[in-house]
Amino acid sequence: MPLFLIERNFAERIDITTGSVREVTEINQDIGVHWLFSFLSADKKKTYCLYEASDSEAIREAARRAGVPADVIVEVDQINPAAFA
């Protein structure tokens, strides 16, 4: 399945709770996208998230339903560092 890196910019610092993660996870499952990993900026106003999804439109729809931004969506390819050793 294709991989996507999503940049999300928030106006205010975000507070991530167990409940908010559960809600987003349920929306993702309904749409068929799978969250893999996220980074949170030091000021807590930006995230970079790695997802598996069929296409970028599925990512946009999941973000819309969850009420979170998806400012930049880039399809990426996995790099295996061991392949370069």
Side-chain angles (χ1 to χ4, degrees):
M1 185 169 291
L3 294 170
F4 294 89
L5 183 66
I6 300 99
E7 178 182 325
R8 303 179 195 278
N9 294 286
F10 299 88
E12 302 291 325
R13 292 174 57 125
I14 60 170
D15 181 29
I16 301 169
T17 65
T18 302
S20 63
V21 170
R22 186 177 308 118
E23 180 182 347
V24 170
T25 299
E26 289 173 5
I27 291 167
N28 289 346
Q29 288 174 344
D30 288 345
I31 295 178
V33 301
H34 179 71
W35 170 79
L36 298 172
F37 200 84
S38 290
F39 291 94
L40 178 61
S41 64
D43 66 2
K44 297 186 178 181
K45 290 185 177 183
K46 184 179 285 196
T47 62
Y48 296 92
C49 305
L50 184 64
Y51 275 82
E52 290 179 326
S54 57
D55 55 36
S56 61
E57 286 307 311
I59 299 286
R60 283 185 186 85
E61 178 61 17
R64 185 190 66 73
R65 287 190 192 181
V68 297
D71 301 302
V72 179
I73 301 172
V74 178
E75 187 170 357
V76 296
D77 199 6
Q78 184 175 12
I79 297 174
N80 182 351
F84 297 102

